[in-house]
Amino acid sequence: MAICSSDPVLGPLLLHLGYSIALLAIDGPILKIHVGLISRNEMAQEWKKNEHYVANNTTIGDNIPVEELDDDEYNEIFDRDAFVYDRTRNPFDNGRFANCWNFWCQPRWPADAKGEF
């Protein structure tokens, strides 16, 4: 079956496709950040402060926590996007699969809870 220009579904379908692509372009990076936070069991504040990240090839050695770097070296390494997540610095990181399973599949409240405050 060929799609012709007189098809009444084609216009709304193309509008929906365009809207979906635009929405994905805007919200895609936010989704990527959230999936990363969930997979590492990391809070946004911890991620923002780089609490679980180290830097390699610094003037004081390898695997140096980024908060121990001086400002100039921190900025230089940050600009190169060279901070590395160190799982051992995050006591709540149980591995990607376990973190995702616990976030998406484990109940956060008892089964008899009704949502009352």
Side-chain angles (χ1 to χ4, degrees):
M1 178 176 177
I3 298 176
C4 62
S5 61
S6 64
D7 188 353
V9 177
L10 184 60
L13 183 67
L14 291 176
L15 285 173
H16 178 69
L17 178 64
Y19 169 80
S20 297
I21 290 171
L23 188 64
L24 185 61
I26 293 168
D27 292 343
I30 297 169
L31 178 65
K32 182 180 175 185
I33 289 170
H34 282 84
V35 168
L37 292 173
I38 292 165
S39 68
R40 294 185 303 267
N41 204 4
E42 187 175 24
M43 302 297 288
Q45 189 69 15
E46 296 168 338
W47 172 72
K48 192 170 72 171
K49 291 183 175 184
N50 295 311
E51 290 183 14
H52 307 299
Y53 290 81
V54 296
N56 295 314
N57 301 324
T58 68
T59 57
I60 53 178
D62 286 340
N63 292 327
I64 305 301
V66 297
E67 61 266 6
E68 293 180 13
L69 299 172
D70 65 34
D71 290 341
D72 292 333
E73 189 168 22
Y74 178 96
N75 291 334
E76 178 188 331
I77 295 171
F78 181 82
D79 289 342
R80 288 187 285 140
D81 198 26
F83 293 158
V84 179
Y85 175 74
D86 183 5
R87 184 176 163 193
T88 62
R89 294 177 50 82
N90 184 354
F92 301 105
D93 188 346
N94 299 314
R96 181 173 288 145
F97 179 78
N99 293 337
C100 290
W101 178 264
N102 290 334
F103 185 84
W104 282 308
C105 301
Q106 294 294 321
R108 293 181 180 89
W109 50 85
D112 62 344
K114 296 183 182 185
E116 299 168 343
F117 293 100

